[in-house]
Amino acid sequence: GQDWTLAAGWNSIQEQERQFQQRVRRCAVVPVIDLAIDDGIHIGETEQHRLGRRFAQAMQALTGAPDAGPLPITYVGCRLRRWRDKAVLEVRFNNVAGALRAAGRPAGFTVSMLGLNSNLVFDTRLHGDRVELRLTQSVTLCTGASVQYGQGTDPYCNITDELDRSLPVFGPVAVGKPRAISRPLTQWRVSPLLPSAGKLEGLACPGAAVAAEARSFPNEYCSRHEEL
């Protein structure tokens, strides 16, 4: 698995690099996260021609050359909305040439939430200059989560525009208005499993006589299915 402490620092540097063109005059940042690498960090030999074309096109756009096309793609923002009983995160970009596309299933986005180790994205759809991320949780639960493109030190990202230019690595960016959310409880005091005694509405409260012991559970579900 990845060293997520290292990955957080790596992504922090990428996020600072992304913001150069917002803070430095006549500067363009060329994303390359989709290109294959030959080792841990260096762009592969077979991909250098794609990298060269992207640099040349960005320089032409900076200098205002005729028919140069737009500057490199930039992240604009995101909006959370409801889809059935789940949430959809719409991520918007500027400077997209034509429409966004991917070879096969679009990949590279993660939406994460404190206390959950899994990616909330189960489907990624491309619509012009927008990406629609369908999430496994409701809008209420996803508010306060964070979105990233290119999370980690070795992500698989394959979304480009019609000039073969990649989306930029960005994030983590907060989704919606941040909320204070505590981590799920995994330490409990639990009673022994009680025998079945008919319908629930007929049961009396067991009272304080039931002994409880301290238990630790591996995740937020606190499941006792194996004991049952």
Side-chain angles (χ1 to χ4, degrees), residues 13-224:
I13 295 298
Q14 290 173 310
E15 176 69 2
Q16 294 171 59
E17 291 173 339
R18 179 183 73 86
Q19 296 181 32
F20 281 168
Q21 59 196 7
Q22 301 170 13
R23 302 179 180 182
V24 180
R25 288 184 64 251
R26 301 180 65 79
C27 172
V29 176
V30 177
V32 296
I33 192 62
D34 61 315
L35 301 183
I37 54 180
D38 276 347
D39 54 26
I41 58 175
H42 295 104
I43 304 298
E45 179 182 357
T46 59
E47 299 281 58
Q48 292 293 334
H49 64 287
R50 295 177 70 194
L51 174 60
R53 282 199 297 266
R54 291 181 186 182
F55 274 130
Q57 188 275 325
M59 180 58 73
Q60 285 186 314
L62 276 176
T63 58
D67 303 320
L71 289 166
I73 302 172
T74 57
Y75 166 77
V76 175
C78 60
R79 179 174 68 94
L80 199 61
R81 58 181 172 82
R82 183 175 176 178
W83 176 73
R84 298 179 181 174
D85 61 336
K86 305 298 183 186
V88 167
L89 184 65
E90 184 181 276
V91 188
R92 302 184 307 281
F93 296 91
N94 269 344
N95 303 333
V96 174
L100 294 174
R101 60 187 184 179
R105 183 179 180 183
F109 281 93
T110 55
V111 175
S112 55
M113 207 160 55
L114 183 67
L116 292 178
N117 294 325
S118 59
N119 184 6
L120 301 183
V121 179
F122 72 86
D123 189 19
T124 301
R125 302 191 177 194
L126 308 179
H127 302 284
D129 61 357
R130 299 176 294 111
V131 179
E132 182 182 278
L133 306 176
R134 297 191 174 187
L135 309 180
T136 60
Q137 304 294 325
S138 67
V139 169
T140 300
L141 290 176
C142 290
T143 300
S146 60
V147 58
Q148 288 184 256
Y149 186 70
Q151 182 186 28
T153 56
D154 186 26
Y156 177 69
C157 302
N158 68 344
I159 302 174
T160 64
D161 67 5
E162 293 181 12
L163 288 180
D164 189 37
R165 306 178 315 157
S166 173
L167 293 182
V169 175
F170 73 88
V173 173
V175 173
K177 183 179 290 186
R179 296 183 298 151
I181 303 176
S182 62
R183 292 184 179 276
L185 294 176
T186 57
Q187 308 285 329
W188 292 83
R189 292 185 62 81
V190 300
S191 71
L193 293 172
L194 302 178
S196 176
K199 295 186 177 181
L200 290 176
E201 61 265 26
L203 296 179
C205 179
V210 175
E213 64 176 2
R215 287 279 300 276
S216 295
F217 294 87
N219 55 46
E220 66 274 10
Y221 292 112
C222 304
S223 171
R224 304 184 71 184

